[in-house]
């Protein structure tokens, strides 16, 4: 597969009615062309007490254009999870430098349905699934050896030889997803698409919609769109 990237193109004219369709296409292109080690990397920003911001990189596991949400996973006891649960809002940024593209999203957050979290957990490699059990994200750790010991003990509990070299085989019994780990859905209310231009004449467009709560998340209204000066 070729890793040469085409030059950036302007945003479509007229602009699309639904930006999430284009976000999904851009993400798929970045992944298919391996434009960076983690093309699904998304900077996730949350706010804590008194609105104090914090940001970190997570991996976007799904982009669902209809009804319009992004999926990422984490430990439900982590700092970001606490802030997400308390405030119910977040912002995210994708930047694909080699493609000259950027996506910014702002919106509401809900926890993924258990079945979606189970699916995401099962898709992880065996060591990653064990790490979810053995590591309690963001908790104080006296030394790294304690972390390794916790993961090794978890592996032994599930009958897995952690000391084995190479790719660990699937255990005889499926590794269940721990209750403290799962997914979140980020439902954008605002989406900004950016395409790099020469002489700093970038192409930008802002989409916004109103979200209405539903039993399984939100339902978005019609997107409103305007171009922005760079």
């Amino acid at each position: 597969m070729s890793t040469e990237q085409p030059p950036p193109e302007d945003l479509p004219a007229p602009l699309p009615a639904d930006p999430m369709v284009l976000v999904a296409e851009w993400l798929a292109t970045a992944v298919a062309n391996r434009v960076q080690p983690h093309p699904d990397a998304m900077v996730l920003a949350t706010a804590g007490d008194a609105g104090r911001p914090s940001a970190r990189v997570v991996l976007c596991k799904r982009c669902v254009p209809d009804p319009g949400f992004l999926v990422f996973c984490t430990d439900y006891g982590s700092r970001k999870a606490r802030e997400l649960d308390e405030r119910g809002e977040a912002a995210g940024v994708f930047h694909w430098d080699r493609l000259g593209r950027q996506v910014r999203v702002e919106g509401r957050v809900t926890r993924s349905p258990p079945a979606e979290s189970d699916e995401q957990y099962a898709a992880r490699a065996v060591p990653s699934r064990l790490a979810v059990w053995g590591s309690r994200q963001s908790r104080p750790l006296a030394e790294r050896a304690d972390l390794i010991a916790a993961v090794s003990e978890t592996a032994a509990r599930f009958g897995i030889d952690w000391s084995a070299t190479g790719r660990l085989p699937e255990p005889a019994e499926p590794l269940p997803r721990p209750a403290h780990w799962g997914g979140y859905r980020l439902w954008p209310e605002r989406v900004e698409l950016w395409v790099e231009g020469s002489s700093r004449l970038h192409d930008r467009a802002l989409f916004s919609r109103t979200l209405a709560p539903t039993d399984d998340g939100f339902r978005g209204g019609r997107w409103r769109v305007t171009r922005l000066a760079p």
Side-chain angles (χ1 to χ4, degrees), residues 77-209:
S78 64
R79 174 182 174 181
K80 61 178 171 294
R82 292 195 302 271
E83 293 177 348
L84 290 169
D85 291 338
E86 289 172 3
R87 304 187 71 91
E89 298 177 318
V93 180
F94 297 94
H95 184 73
W96 300 290
D97 194 55
R98 292 180 63 187
L99 295 178
R101 292 171 175 172
Q102 178 175 276
V103 174
R104 297 175 59 205
V105 299
E106 301 171 19
R108 306 299 300 277
V109 177
T110 59
R111 288 194 180 190
S112 291
E116 184 171 68
S117 294
D118 291 342
E119 179 183 356
Q120 293 300 325
Y121 181 75
R124 296 166 68 98
V126 173
S128 294
R129 277 177 271 163
L130 289 172
V132 168
W133 277 95
S135 171
R136 301 307 297 267
Q137 195 176 79
S138 299
R139 274 67 159 189
L141 190 65
E143 55 183 287
R144 183 167 175 78
D146 295 338
L147 173 63
I148 303 303
V151 176
S152 297
E153 290 171 5
T154 300
R157 179 151 56 96
F158 288 107
I160 299 172
D161 183 6
W162 180 255
S163 64
T165 59
R167 184 179 178 87
L168 292 179
E170 287 289 334
E173 296 293 332
L175 280 172
R177 175 178 63 89
H180 66 261
W181 187 96
Y184 280 96
R185 290 178 172 182
L186 172 54
W187 303 78
E189 295 173 299
R190 292 164 59 93
V191 175
E192 182 183 313
L193 303 179
W194 177 95
V195 174
E196 183 179 5
S198 60
S199 302
R200 203 186 173 281
L201 295 180
H202 313 308
D203 202 3
R204 294 174 66 194
L206 175 64
F207 299 77
S208 60
R209 66 176 177 175

Side-chain angles (χ1 to χ4, degrees), residues 57-71:
V57 177
V58 298
L59 299 182
C60 177
K61 295 302 184 180
R62 295 181 66 199
C63 177
V64 182
D66 184 16
F69 59 82
L70 304 168
V71 176

